[in-house]
Each structure stands twice: as C-alpha cells, then as structure tokens.
Amino acid sequence: MVLLPLACRAETLHVAPAGSANGACEASSPCTLQAAQAKVRALRIQGHDDITVQLQDGTYRLQQPLQFDAADSGAKGRPVRWQAAPGAHPVLSGARLLQGTREGALWRFALPAGDAPSSVYVDDRRRWPARTAACPHCVVDAKGLSNVPPAILHALQVSSLAVMHERWRDFRCRVVALGRGRVDLAQPCWHNVTLDSAKNGWSVASPVGKYYAGVDWFENLAGDPSTSGSYTVDAVQRVLSYRPSPEEATRAPSIELPVLEQLLVLKGTLKAPVHDLVFSGITFAGTEWRKPKSGDGYVSLQAGYLVDGNSRTALPDNGEGMTRTGRAVDVEAGRDIVFDRDSFRQLAAAGIALAGGTHGAAVTNSRFTDLGGGAVFVGDTEGHPADPAGKTSDVVVADNRIDHVALAYRDNVAIMAGFVNGLEIAHNTLSDLPYSGISVGWGWDYEGDAPVESAIHIVANRIERVMLQLADGGAIYTQAQSTPDTSCVLRNAIDMRHSGEGNGIYLDEHSTYFDVEHNVVLGSWVSAWASWSGHLRIVGNWTDTAGKPHNPGPTKLWSPNFTGLKTLPAAALAIQRAAGARIGHPRPGLPIRVPPACPKQ
C-alpha cells in the first residue's frame, strides 16, 4: 500500500442546511457551514491543499454573514472549493420565513425589531411597499417639500420615503415631520440632494435643477395597503400588512422577510490577503439594505456613488471620499478568488464587489437578476493610493447573464468599475436595465494627469434594452485616462433600438487612450463629446445610424466606419453571433492575470 502525504490527499467536507455543529462533515453526518469553515482551517494548518466543501441541497438561513480572512485561504494555485454537491442547488439566504394571520382581506405579520423592509417575497416574487401617486407639483425648499396634496399627505407617516430621480441621478430621503401641506425630510440627506458642486454643476440633475419633475412617489405608507401585491408597515406596532393578489388569497399567509445586509465577506489585508478560494453553484439571496432609511438616505452622484455626511459645502468632483451601494458579497484584499456558475437574486441592493486591493479575481458563468442595485462592482474609488498595492488589478467578469437589476436604485450599473489596472469584461449578456450596462473608469476626471486605469478590455458583450428610465448614459460608458495602448472596446453587439435616451458607446469626460473597433451599434452611435477626451481610435464599427463624428478633436480618429446601413454585412453578423455569454465556458485558471495588451482582432 502506498501512503500519500497529507498534502496529496483530497478532503471533501459535507454540509447541509440541517447539519450539526458537531457533525463529522461527512456525507452521512453533514455539518454546518461554520463547522466546515473551522475544519478547513484545521486541515490547512495540517498541510492539506486539496479541500472541497460540498453544500447539499436546500436553503441555508444565515444568522450573520459568513466571514472569511487569510486563515480560510487555500494553497497557492490549489484553492479551497466551496461548491454545490452534484445535482444540488444550495441557497445562502439572509431572509426569515414569517408565518402570518388573516384579517379580512389582509395578511398580518409581526415584525422583529428594525426598520420597515424595502421589499418582501411571496411565492418567490418580489413585493414592493405600497406607493403613492407621483407629486409633480411638490415644491422644493431647504427643509423638504411643500404643496403636497392632502390625499398624499394623509397616506404618509414619519419614516415614509420620498423617491425621485433627475436625469442620471436617483434619490431617497426619509420623512421626519409632517405639516400642513408639507413634509420635512431627513438631514443631511436633503441638504446633499440639493447641493451643487464647484466644477461640474451637478445641480442640473437635482430637484433644484431645470429637469426637476416632482416626486416619483412616496413609499412606506401609513394605514392598510389598497393595491394587491403591496404592503405597509405600522411603525409603532411593528406589524406588516400585506394585501394578497387573488391567486394568493387562498393560501396560508407567509412571506420571506430579508434581514441580513450581507451574506459573504472575504476580507484580507494587503500583507495577509484572503486567497485561493472558489465558490461555485451557490445562490446568494434574501438581503436587506437599511442605509436609504438613515439620515444620509440615498443620494447618488452617479452610478451608485453616494454622497454622505454633514457639513458639505459642495459635492465632490470625483469618486474619492464617496461610498457605494451596498452589496451581498464583498471581496477586499483578495488574491485569486473565483465565483463561477453562481446565482445572485432577490437582493435589496447590489450583488458583488471586488475591491480594496484585490489582485486576481473572477466572476464567470453566473446569473444576476431581481437585484435592487447593480450586479458587479470592480475596483476602487481612489485613483492614486499611497500604497500602490491598494489598487485593485487583474479581474475577469465573463460569460455572465445580467438582467432586471437596479430595480430600486435606478442609477446603478450592471457591471461597474472604478479605478482598476487589468479588467476583462467579456462575453456577458446584459438587458432590461434602467441605466447603463457597462461603466468603467469612475470617478470621473479630476485625478491629475497620470493614468488611473490600464488594460481595460471590454470585448464581445451583448447589450440591449438599457437606459429604460434614466438619461445621459449608454450601453458601454467609459471615463478617465488609461495607460496608452492598453484599453479597448472590441466586438460588442449593442442594440439600442428598444432602449431609452442614451449612447451605444459613450466615451465621456476625460476618456483617454481607448480603441473602439469592430463593434455593431444599432439605434445609436458613439459619443466622445468632451474636448478634454482624446487619443481615441473609433474605427471599423458598424451602425444603422448616420454615424457622424462627435467632437472630432485633434487626437480622435473617427474613420473608417460603416454607417447608415440598411443590412449588416457578413463580418458584422459574425460579431453579433459571437457576442454574449457562452454556455459551458471554463472558468479561468489560477493565477488570474489580465494581459496588458488588448486581445487581437
């Protein structure tokens, strides 16, 4: 008999929703997720480097987020695999199943302590809080809103939310006082909503700007819901009242109540990163996000970048010093972390963020739908960190299907990148979005003259039905200065014919050193309006529009392109066929590296 060294022995641990904390983590005696995590740590200390944790079928209702750090890491190039058991579909959920009672036509649920939920689920379908009609004639003042109609005012309570949008920005502020024909809104939320900036003039897209069209609606209302499929919360009695739809009325009253704000947090340090982990076949679901109901509220500058805090005299001119939309899964200071064939659904805010000095990460072959915020965030808000290792790099986002996200926070983007060196966004299929599809290089253009990003490769994505609610965005949206000869937008299939107001490819503001080649752009075209953008090659693209150069500029190459097409040539049709998520594409191997040069044509 040949005895294998410990490092060569494969170890498989088995977990189950009803597993025991004292279980052996074997198929016949599964353990809990937390017990498996402890065993993985012990095995790694003993030198094992081939470890798989198999999650059996069912819903794992977390009482707190799973927290991973450097001690949970695999061996270099030999990751610990947390994956679905064969044929299983495990769900990590932050929601509680509540049983209610009937009271006439309503269902009543006693709520645990906490704020009113931003949404609940019945029969796996999201249900929103009851809303008022729009208030187009609400008048803005320093404390809140006046000229609120009696019918709307009667439906409100302290803790209701005012929801509105202007152009590319979205806002939510809590009601703190009700008066005669008016409401006062939480501070600093309302102060920051109406604030301007020194350079950009952001107030044009705010309630004090020329595009103000009133309040979209108020939610978190008093009284009983009048519309089927909606609910209200009595903030004093802590009772949720739900009006079931006719097909729901005969069933036993129950709802899924999201409670946790996060499900999985991987947090290393620059000196001790969390590394070599794979999460595969897992569904992440059932989160809440409470920040919009706080005093800070939800004040977006753009694309899920949020303005918080008191005593602001002006809005920031870039992404630094801002926060981002909450997310269910966070990776900070990670190395070679992979999420493959996972599912993100029924989340109050965003899906996953890969940031904070993460070097080597991938999100592949995954599904994102029914999210309150965006799907994937990559990179950092600081363009030039004091420690260069704090700049995220080498991230792959590929072969994912993303649709019906940013349902609550409408300015969020499906795939959003801050400052990052080495990012491949390839072969994703994106659709049905209120704002932009892919955005890179945020924030904006006030980080000096040195590049803030490099090797940004946006390749072979399929994007349609975007910009459905907000304005001034695009299917693919770039910002900021890249390192020369490293960044490109290639072979994407974009169809804006059923979209709202927006650009097919939007090279905004200080977008510099991007090649835009061999893209099919229908129903729209490429915009590079700013005179301070430049060193752009926009050539070899196909469009059914006139395709006129937008602010040509001395360093922008706009020809040849194929414009005004009634039918697409064979080469363009081949681009369309090849774009989008590929079925069964293998996940990237470790280590994850994005080459500095763009892929060849």
Side-chain angles (χ1 to χ4, degrees):
M1 182 176 66
V2 178
L3 295 177
L4 296 175
L6 285 177
C8 296
R9 297 179 189 171
E11 294 284 347
T12 300
L13 308 180
H14 298 265
V15 301
S20 170
N22 299 315
C25 298
E26 298 174 353
S28 59
S29 178
C31 60
T32 64
L33 290 163
Q34 293 78 6
Q37 183 181 14
K39 287 184 179 293
V40 168
R41 289 185 170 192
L43 288 169
R44 288 289 299 121
I45 290 172
Q46 295 168 15
H48 291 269
D49 62 3
D50 187 357
I51 305 171
T52 300
V53 181
Q54 284 197 357
L55 280 65
Q56 295 181 11
D57 209 19
T59 299
Y60 297 75
R61 295 191 183 276
L62 303 180
Q63 301 302 309
Q64 59 187 11
L66 293 173
Q67 304 273 352
F68 283 60
D69 60 26
D72 299 291
S73 302
K76 187 174 182 179
R78 296 182 65 84
V80 176
R81 298 171 296 277
W82 291 75
Q83 64 189 38
H89 302 282
V91 178
L92 301 189
S93 175
R96 309 283 181 267
L97 181 62
L98 292 188
Q99 303 296 333
T101 59
R102 298 180 189 276
E103 188 175 308
L106 299 177
W107 294 351
R108 308 283 193 190
F109 300 88
L111 291 178
D115 294 319
S118 56
S119 59
V120 299
Y121 292 86
V122 179
D123 290 337
D124 219 31
R125 297 172 61 191
R126 188 188 292 254
R127 299 304 191 191
W128 297 101
R131 298 173 175 178
T132 69
C135 185
H137 304 298
C138 280
V139 175
V140 173
D141 59 40
K143 296 181 66 176
L145 299 160
S146 62
N147 199 36
V148 182
I152 290 179
L153 199 61
H154 179 72
L156 302 183
Q157 60 182 334
V158 171
S159 76
S160 293
L161 286 177
V163 180
M164 64 194 77
H165 78 281
E166 315 300 335
R167 299 290 287 167
W168 63 87
R169 302 179 68 192
D170 210 16
F171 309 101
R172 289 173 180 243
C173 286
R174 189 182 77 244
V175 173
V176 295
L178 303 170
R180 180 172 296 181
R182 68 166 292 108
V183 297
D184 292 348
L185 298 175
Q187 301 290 1
C189 181
W190 191 240
H191 169 77
N192 292 335
V193 165
T194 58
L195 198 58
D196 202 354
S197 65
K199 297 180 181 178
N200 276 326
W202 289 103
S203 64
V204 70
S206 82
V208 296
K210 65 179 181 179
Y211 295 104
Y212 174 66
V215 178
D216 293 345
W217 66 79
F218 292 88
E219 63 182 48
N220 190 19
L221 307 181
D224 291 335
S226 58
T227 304
S228 64
S230 68
Y231 64 89
T232 58
V233 172
D234 185 320
V236 176
Q237 299 298 320
R238 304 300 308 149
V239 172
L240 184 148
S241 300
Y242 175 72
R243 185 173 293 276
S245 61
E247 62 269 21
E248 296 166 341
T250 57
R251 54 162 286 181
S254 67
I255 60 171
E256 290 275 349
L257 176 72
V259 175
L260 294 186
E261 294 194 334
Q262 293 191 296
L263 302 173
L264 176 62
V265 177
L266 311 183
K267 188 171 184 178
T269 66
L270 296 182
K271 292 184 177 180
V274 54
H275 63 90
D276 290 277
L277 290 167
V278 173
F279 299 86
S280 182
I282 300 170
T283 293
F284 299 91
T287 58
E288 179 56 274
W289 191 41
R290 297 178 178 85
K291 176 183 174 61
K293 296 183 280 285
S294 72
D296 278 320
Y298 184 88
V299 184
S300 169
L301 197 61
Q302 194 167 3
Y305 278 58
L306 308 180
V307 180
D308 299 336
N310 292 289
S311 304
R312 285 188 179 271
T313 58
L315 295 177
D317 291 306
N318 58 27
E320 299 184 357
M322 301 177 68
T323 59
R324 300 194 308 270
T325 304
R327 48 269 170 203
V329 177
D330 251 339
V331 180
E332 184 174 337
R335 302 287 187 276
D336 291 326
I337 306 293
V338 177
F339 289 81
D340 182 65
R341 291 171 173 79
D342 296 311
S343 176
F344 296 76
R345 61 180 177 83
Q346 298 180 359
L347 303 176
I352 183 171
L354 310 165
T358 288
H359 302 289
V363 179
T364 55
N365 300 297
S366 294
R367 179 82 168 96
F368 296 81
T369 192
D370 191 10
L371 309 186
V376 182
F377 183 90
V378 178
D380 308 296
T381 59
E382 189 173 358
H384 304 289
D387 184 346
K391 184 84 161 285
T392 294
S393 68
D394 294 308
V395 178
V396 174
V397 182
D399 294 291
N400 303 290
R401 290 179 298 135
I402 304 173
D403 58 70
H404 299 92
V405 303
L407 299 178
Y409 309 106
R410 296 166 288 182
D411 64 300
N412 278 218
V413 175
I415 302 173
M416 173 73 182
F419 301 127
V420 56
N421 292 332
L423 172 60
E424 178 182 310
I425 303 175
H427 283 282
N428 300 283
T429 297
L430 282 60
S431 69
D432 298 283
L433 306 171
Y435 189 48
S436 297
I438 295 171
S439 289
V440 299
W442 297 70
W444 300 276
D445 58 339
Y446 295 99
E447 289 77 31
D449 296 327
V452 291
E453 60 189 349
S454 66
I456 308 299
H457 305 160
I458 305 174
V459 181
N461 300 281
R462 178 179 297 277
I463 308 172
E464 60 186 7
R465 296 192 303 278
V466 299
M467 302 300 302
L468 296 180
Q469 294 184 50
L470 303 190
D472 199 357
I476 296 174
Y477 193 158
T478 71
Q479 293 267 18
Q481 179 172 329
S482 173
T483 301
D485 302 318
T486 67
S487 294
C488 51
V489 181
L490 304 177
R491 303 194 301 273
N492 298 280
I494 297 169
D495 189 345
M496 299 288 288
R497 292 174 296 180
H498 304 288
S499 298
E501 175 190 343
N503 302 285
I505 300 173
Y506 194 5
L507 307 167
D508 195 17
E509 296 283 356
H510 199 49
S511 294
T512 309
Y513 292 110
F514 276 88
D515 289 349
V516 179
E517 300 185 65
H518 296 169
N519 301 281
V520 179
V521 184
L522 302 180
S524 186
W525 184 227
V526 181
S527 174
W529 69 276
S531 60
W532 55 100
S533 65
H535 299 283
L536 304 172
R537 294 181 67 254
I538 305 161
V539 299
N541 304 284
W542 297 270
T543 183
D544 57 351
T545 71
K548 295 181 179 179
H550 194 181
N551 184 10
T555 63
K556 301 176 186 179
L557 180 62
W558 279 92
S559 66
N561 289 295
F562 308 97
T563 62
L565 300 174
K566 301 297 183 183
T567 59
L568 293 176
L573 293 173
I575 294 292
Q576 287 185 320
R577 287 193 298 269
R582 298 163 292 190
I583 303 301
H585 196 73
R587 69 178 181 234
L590 303 183
I592 298 169
R593 299 292 182 266
V594 175
C598 286
K600 294 181 179 180
Q601 298 294 325

